[in-house]
Amino acid sequence: MFFIIGLVVVFASIIAGFLLEGGSIPTLLHPLPAEGIMIFGAAVGAFLASNPPHLIKRVVGDISKPLKGSPYTKAVYMEVLMMQYEVYVNIKKGGLLALEQDVNDPHNSAIFKKYPAFTTNHHALDFFCDSMKLLINGSAKMDEIDLVMDADLDVHHAENAAPGAAVGTMADAFPAFGIVACVMGIVITMGFLDQPPNVIGSKVGAALVGTFLGILLAYGVFQPLSKNIDAVNTAESFYFNCMRAGLTSFGNGAAPVTAVEFARRNIPSTERPGSGELEEVVRQIKPR
């Protein structure tokens, strides 16, 4: 929502200033179709040429994220804390093998099905269950499991950073393509040097719109879009670190309530449930 508000403020401020200086909207709009085709088309073409198909698909999927905002709300974090507590308390009661079937088939697990925000996030589900399998199978020590989770998070972070970086690179190209459009306009103007000054001035003005449009798209639209995509994707890393902290703590011998407290401390302060609030909720969870 704030992304849209920001764009409205950008364009409204520029247009208002232009009109206050005596500018004419038709004069500004007349060259926009041709200039827009050159600038935007060249930027999109360069974007397609410089990125692999899987990243292009990822960028297309992430374009709408600034409009939706981060899905990792306080309620989503509370759910993942409750999920962890129920997993850990059941292991405490029945041993590690009590959760073997649940982590091997989480979509049919009586425990995991209680937490839809977690089970519908397939990256988070795989991350937690794959790490739990290593703990349950006894195929790795806890410090080795922590290293595996750390490596997994590094890869995930790099993948999440790529779409924003790709959009940012495209944003950096817009001013240059604006200059290209401007130069093309000046080339066209050269053919009208025998015309009256008002005709030449109109052609030069149209050419300069290219530079204006390139800079505006770069710093008024696509750079903010890039930063916003980065911010939303970065929020996901806190969610994964929350699970990592809880699992590592429990695997090192902490009680379930202590493990989820470690997990809670990895949640951003703006979305973090209070300690008393969490304790009150998890006390209602009983092992099966």
Side-chain angles (χ1 to χ4, degrees), residues 78-87 115 281-282 285:
M78 179 62 85
E79 180 185 284
V80 80
L81 292 173
M82 293 167 62
M83 179 277 296
Q84 289 186 76
Y85 181 82
E86 186 163 358
V87 167
Y115 308 103
V281 171
V282 297
I285 298 175

Side-chain angles (χ1 to χ4, degrees), residues 71-72 116-127 156 236 239-240:
Y72 298 102
F118 170 70
T119 52
T120 54
N121 187 334
H122 69 277
H123 289 303
L125 185 67
D126 290 345
F127 174 77
H156 193 70
E236 190 171 53
Y239 187 75
F240 279 74

Side-chain angles (χ1 to χ4, degrees), residues 51-130:
N51 293 293
H54 70 87
L55 182 54
I56 294 171
K57 292 178 182 178
R58 184 71 191 276
V59 170
V60 171
D62 284 3
I63 286 291
S64 62
K65 284 186 175 181
L67 303 178
K68 299 175 182 177
S70 172
Y72 298 102
T73 61
K74 182 179 179 179
V76 170
Y77 276 113
M78 179 62 85
E79 180 185 284
V80 80
L81 292 173
M82 293 167 62
M83 179 277 296
Q84 289 186 76
Y85 181 82
E86 186 163 358
V87 167
Y88 303 149
V89 80
N90 274 284
I91 291 177
K92 205 72 173 176
K93 177 186 177 183
L96 287 169
L97 291 179
L99 267 291
E100 184 176 24
Q101 184 59 36
D102 294 273
V103 298
N104 284 331
D105 189 13
H107 292 289
N108 293 315
S109 164
I111 292 177
F112 292 133
K113 284 197 292 188
K114 298 177 185 177
Y115 308 103
F118 170 70
T119 52
T120 54
N121 187 334
H122 69 277
H123 289 303
L125 185 67
D126 290 345
F127 174 77
F128 185 78
C129 290
D130 288 348

Side-chain angles (χ1 to χ4, degrees), residues 259-277:
V260 295
E261 176 60 18
F262 271 84
R264 186 185 74 87
R265 296 295 183 91
N266 279 266
I267 298 173
S269 59
T270 53
E271 309 296 342
R272 183 189 301 167
S275 178
E277 183 182 2

